[in-house]
Amino acid sequence: MTKQTHSFQAEVAQLLHLVTHSLYSNPEIFVRELVSNASDAADKLRFEGLNNAALYEDNPNLEVRIAFDKDARTLSITDTGIGLTEQEAIDNLGTIAKSGTKDFMGKLSGDQKADAQLIGQFGVGFYSGFIVADKITVESRRAGVPADQGVRWVSGGTGDFEVETIHRPERGTTITLHLRDDAEEYLNAWKLKSLINKYSDHISLPILMEKEAWKEGENDQPGSMVKTGEWETVNQANALWTRPKKDISEEQYTEFYKAISHDHEAPLTWAHNRVEGNTEYTQLLYIPSKAPFDLWNRDKKAGIKLYVKRVFIMDDAEALMPTYLRFVKGVIDSADLPLNVSRELLQESRDVRAIRDGSTKRVLSMLEDLAKQEDKTPYNQFYAEFGAVLKEGLGEDFANKDRLAKLLRYASTQSDTPSVSLADYKARMKEGQDAIYYITADTLAAAKNSPQLEVFKKKGIEVLLMSDRVDEWSLNYLQEFDGTPLQSVAKGAVDLGKLQDETEKKAAEEAAEAFKPLLAKLKEALKEKAEDVRVTTRLVDSPACLVVQDDGMSTQLARLLKQAGQQAPESKPVLEINAEHALVKKLDGSVHFHDLAHILFDQALLAEGGLPEDPAAYVRRVNALLV
Ligand code: ADP
């Protein structure tokens, strides 16, 4: 086919622009990205070769060769992997197939530093070559395709790329970077070896470079090395997780994490174990220090790579980790699964279930270890990033619920940051207190200022403040902790039980009696809005608040469901009034009774972060009174 010019997908062009305009603070990562692609290509060939040995026949060697040419200012990376057909080159090197690309682009803010971080997370892969090159040539032939159907892809990294058919005797791919003037340092064997050592030592594929020697009689003269035509392997060429722990440095663990996760920050912690017994496998699991930009997408695939006896099987093996641990990255290498295992088979395999249970427990113990540390910073950092996701586990992972409950942290009336564990709370409970009190709201500020807390504050009783969207839902699965029930302060009649003294109880009963006629009038006036109206002891400074029946759905959850376009059961809240409040006392006999009743109700709604059903009517009523 003659040369054809194609345009990059708009997102690629945009990404390339960012990449080449110095967003990248760490240009050398292109080595990691391109070697990692070469290694993936070898993995794919090995995998396809399981069912089709003919693919390999011409050359059974799987390897990567890195070469450079000082005069031509080029650096090339050649692999004997699966290769690309012409159509694959057009599709894979001109578009970004990753889901969430558009979302991701929308998140870029224009702030270089923040964007560089995001791009780091997203992973620019192949395009990272353009950090150091102003032109990239890719020549490739796919395994199993005739030699006259090779492809050449060339681009300057701006709007478009050219593709033509070429004759290529050898299988696999050569990526040639035409280096920019300021990237000359990569035309140096020593430099390249040190980068391979740093970024790609863990790759199980041999990486070869041509040996150099001093020119005759010119020892130690700079620039007088010559190539010898002999190639040597410059990496360890065995997969990192297969090596004994004691032979792996922290830096190697960290670099391996960065290579598999595309994150450019170091992980918070990791665990590397060989598990023996009924099912044998090796696990190397990492907890990132920063949440990815799409953590909230529950469809996001888990970050676990599955290998079987060191053969790469698949990325994102979601069957190996529960959804609530989707932030965990790493590798699981099984000794028992069949090599031809598919995603569908994974779902049903008993071995997989055992691996998943074992890995889940491993992650939980990593978190427990972090939480136990004297220095709480790492755990708090973890929790700030992933705590809300962890809470999903309460409903998802019944078997580990007790362990999970111990890992939860909340803000409370005694702590503005989510650092209070349920055990801490219990240890601080007052004499006679028989429940763990909490309140949920849309924001921490709304929770903290909610009128329902008034009596608790007055009595010095701590209340957990919950403002994560998942809190309401997850609490359905956490009715008690260590024998003590959890009780919402905004649900049901408040019963402080032994925390209330006799005189307080008596006063409350008397008030309820005395207010009966007023309550009846209020109930009539608000019958469209409130299920009931009653006198409460939970308020100190506020005139009124809303609560839901004991078995009702909280108003916050109902609101969330409606926002999400879902059906929330229509349940009306209960209006509770403070018999001691001046406004309430004035209510009876007021000529504005009807308006005041509605204002009382709407204000109670506002106080908990809701909006009056008819905001204009609310404003009209308040204004009428002000005038
Ligand atoms: P990613 O590797 O995350 O999918 P890249 O931008 O690095 O994204 O690569 C895009 C695609 O190009 C790869 O998914 C792969 O299909 C193809 N590709 C890149 N490098 C090679 C290679 N050396 N051999 C075969 N295919 C490759």
Side-chain angles (χ1 to χ4, degrees):
M1 202 192 280
T2 49
K3 231 181 243 181
Q4 283 187 341
T5 303
H6 298 259
S7 299
F8 282 119
Q9 178 195 24
E11 282 82 11
V12 176
Q14 204 181 339
L15 191 66
L16 278 170
H17 183 81
L18 289 166
V19 166
T20 50
H21 288 74
S22 74
L23 262 185
Y24 246 100
S25 50
N26 196 14
E28 62 193 36
I29 57 110
F30 79 91
V31 174
R32 173 181 79 202
E33 298 298 321
L34 298 184
V35 170
S36 147
N37 279 349
S39 162
D40 291 348
D43 280 342
K44 281 182 203 155
L45 178 60
R46 213 181 273 138
F47 186 65
E48 282 194 18
L50 292 173
N51 294 322
N52 183 4
L55 288 180
Y56 270 89
E57 264 164 4
D58 51 343
N59 177 7
N61 275 348
L62 288 177
E63 59 181 32
V64 183
R65 286 177 189 242
I66 299 189
F68 60 92
D69 179 336
K70 270 200 164 135
D71 300 328
R73 306 173 55 83
T74 57
L75 175 64
S76 68
I77 297 168
T78 300
D79 65 67
T80 53
I82 188 86
L84 292 156
T85 62
E86 189 159 325
Q87 193 56 45
E88 283 169 337
I90 293 169
D91 292 343
N92 299 343
L93 305 179
T95 56
I96 305 176
K98 264 178 240 177
S99 63
T101 304
K102 282 229 165 69
D103 276 7
F104 163 77
M105 288 295 178
K107 289 221 160 67
L108 296 173
S109 60
D111 170 40
Q112 294 226 341
K113 220 171 144 211
D115 287 351
Q117 284 226 338
L118 266 182
I119 290 181
Q121 274 186 15
F122 190 71
V124 288
F126 168 75
Y127 304 109
S128 65
F130 286 107
I131 306 172
V132 293
D134 47 22
K135 182 171 128 187
I136 298 183
T137 308
V138 179
E139 294 185 331
S140 188
R141 173 161 75 82
R142 202 184 194 286
V145 165
D148 61 0
Q149 288 177 31
V151 57
R152 179 182 294 127
W153 178 104
V154 183
S155 175
T158 46
D160 47 32
F161 58 89
E162 280 176 358
V163 177
E164 66 184 312
T165 308
I166 56 165
H167 182 85
R168 182 175 162 97
E170 62 281 3
R171 173 193 77 222
T173 306
T174 299
I175 303 211
T176 305
L177 307 176
H178 304 263
L179 295 179
R180 292 172 193 281
D181 289 343
D182 58 1
E184 224 165 60
E185 58 184 309
Y186 301 105
L187 298 170
N188 175 307
W190 184 84
K191 171 83 182 180
L192 289 170
K193 277 184 204 167
S194 80
L195 292 178
I196 292 164
N197 192 297
K198 178 168 174 193
Y199 291 119
S200 306
D201 199 37
H202 61 268
I203 295 272
S204 58
L205 208 60
I207 302 174
L208 290 89
M209 282 183 60
E210 198 174 344
K211 270 191 183 164
E212 291 189 331
W214 298 111
K215 256 189 230 162
E216 279 281 314
E218 287 187 28
N219 281 10
D220 299 341
Q221 294 284 331
S224 61
M225 299 290 280
V226 286
K227 307 230 162 85
T228 60
E230 206 184 315
W231 291 75
E232 62 177 344
T233 302
V234 295
N235 65 335
Q236 291 220 21
N238 57 13
L240 180 101
W241 65 91
T242 62
R243 300 184 211 155
K245 271 191 202 174
K246 62 174 177 34
D247 297 344
I248 309 174
S249 67
E250 290 224 348
E251 197 197 357
Q252 286 171 319
Y253 274 122
T254 302
E255 285 307 329
F256 181 68
Y257 165 77
K258 289 182 181 173
I260 59 167
S261 66
H262 296 291
D263 190 351
H264 51 199
E265 291 198 38
L268 210 49
T269 182
W270 59 84
H272 181 193
N273 294 90
R274 233 192 118 86
V275 182
E276 278 159 10
N278 288 340
T279 37
E280 269 184 40
Y281 58 96
T282 301
Q283 54 183 196
L284 173 51
L285 304 173
Y286 290 91
I287 298 191
S289 50
K290 279 268 180 315
F293 68 94
D294 55 352
L295 179 69
W296 290 105
N297 179 2
R298 277 177 54 90
D299 295 332
K300 182 184 163 61
K301 301 280 170 53
I304 305 294
K305 287 178 186 287
L306 173 66
Y307 285 72
V308 172
K309 299 184 196 79
R310 293 171 207 190
V311 177
F312 171 78
I313 305 295
M314 68 180 81
D315 274 319
D316 310 328
E318 64 270 16
L320 297 176
M321 222 16 107
T323 308
Y324 76 95
L325 296 180
R326 58 187 174 276
F327 55 86
V328 176
K329 304 268 190 244
V331 168
I332 287 176
D333 190 345
S334 157
D336 307 310
L337 290 173
L339 281 164
N340 61 358
V341 67
S342 63
R343 274 184 205 272
E344 292 67 38
L345 267 173
L346 278 185
Q347 301 293 351
E348 289 153 21
S349 151
R350 200 157 1 119
D351 285 321
V352 168
R353 231 168 296 142
I355 295 175
R356 173 188 163 111
D357 288 349
S359 303
T360 303
K361 293 211 161 75
R362 178 66 59 191
V363 174
L364 294 180
S365 45
M366 275 199 267
L367 295 177
E368 284 159 1
D369 288 346
L370 269 191
K372 259 188 258 157
Q373 280 178 22
E374 195 70 39
D375 176 9
K376 298 291 171 222
T377 324
Y379 191 71
N380 289 343
Q381 187 188 342
F382 159 78
Y383 204 82
E385 296 289 324
F386 302 109
V389 181
L390 199 66
K391 288 174 190 165
E392 295 173 9
L394 291 174
E396 233 174 79
D397 187 356
F398 201 72
N400 291 304
K401 200 169 88 174
D402 291 346
R403 289 179 77 177
L404 273 168
K406 290 188 186 136
L407 289 168
L408 302 178
R409 298 291 181 271
Y410 296 101
S412 84
T413 42
Q414 296 187 16
S415 161
D416 275 346
T417 55
S419 58
V420 182
S421 72
L422 294 170
D424 294 340
Y425 182 99
K426 274 196 76 169
R428 291 201 284 257
M429 271 169 44
K430 290 264 184 244
E431 179 87 21
Q433 182 180 347
D434 46 20
I436 296 171
Y437 292 107
Y438 69 87
I439 184 157
T440 55
D442 291 343
T443 62
L444 183 62
K448 207 168 143 181
N449 297 315
S450 124
Q452 280 97 335
L453 296 182
E454 288 170 3
V455 70
F456 294 88
K457 283 187 188 150
K458 184 172 149 200
K459 290 187 175 291
I461 300 168
E462 186 172 13
V463 177
L464 300 176
L465 307 175
M466 308 193 179
S467 53
D468 271 337
R469 278 171 164 247
V470 294
D471 281 327
E472 268 300 327
W473 172 84
S474 66
L475 285 171
N476 287 328
Y477 301 92
L478 190 70
Q479 314 278 0
E480 53 104 30
F481 174 76
D482 193 17
T484 308
L486 272 81
Q487 165 74 48
S488 163
V489 301
K491 261 192 189 178
V494 66
D495 178 14
L496 293 174
K498 293 179 217 123
L499 294 165
Q500 226 174 10
D501 62 33
E502 283 310 311
T503 35
E504 283 172 322
K505 270 188 199 160
K506 198 131 182 273
E509 277 160 25
E510 281 171 13
E513 197 50 42
F515 271 76
K516 262 193 178 152
L518 176 66
L519 292 179
K521 270 170 73 183
L522 277 172
K523 235 173 123 162
E524 178 56 30
L526 296 171
K527 63 173 187 271
E528 304 287 313
K529 291 177 170 173
E531 182 69 36
D532 194 7
V533 183
R534 61 191 179 213
V535 175
T536 185
T537 53
R538 74 178 104 213
L539 298 172
V540 179
D541 302 318
S542 302
C545 69
L546 297 177
V547 298
V548 291
Q549 305 284 42
D550 245 336
D551 53 356
M553 178 184 279
S554 85
T555 37
Q556 193 227 1
L557 183 56
R559 203 158 49 239
L560 284 177
L561 283 176
K562 274 192 198 146
Q563 279 167 10
Q566 295 194 30
Q567 282 260 308
E570 280 304 331
S571 71
K572 287 183 275 182
V574 174
L575 180 70
E576 292 196 344
I577 56 168
N578 176 1
E580 301 296 317
H581 199 279
L583 182 59
V584 173
K585 286 183 174 161
K586 252 171 73 182
L587 207 53
D588 212 6
S590 164
V591 286
H592 302 295
F593 180 83
H594 188 82
D595 282 346
L596 279 172
H598 282 272
I599 289 173
L600 210 56
F601 183 94
D602 286 347
Q603 284 188 342
L605 195 59
L606 282 167
E608 61 165 48
L611 262 187
E613 212 166 44
D614 183 353
Y618 170 75
V619 172
R620 211 163 42 237
R621 285 187 178 117
V622 172
N623 287 346
L625 286 177
L626 289 175
V627 173

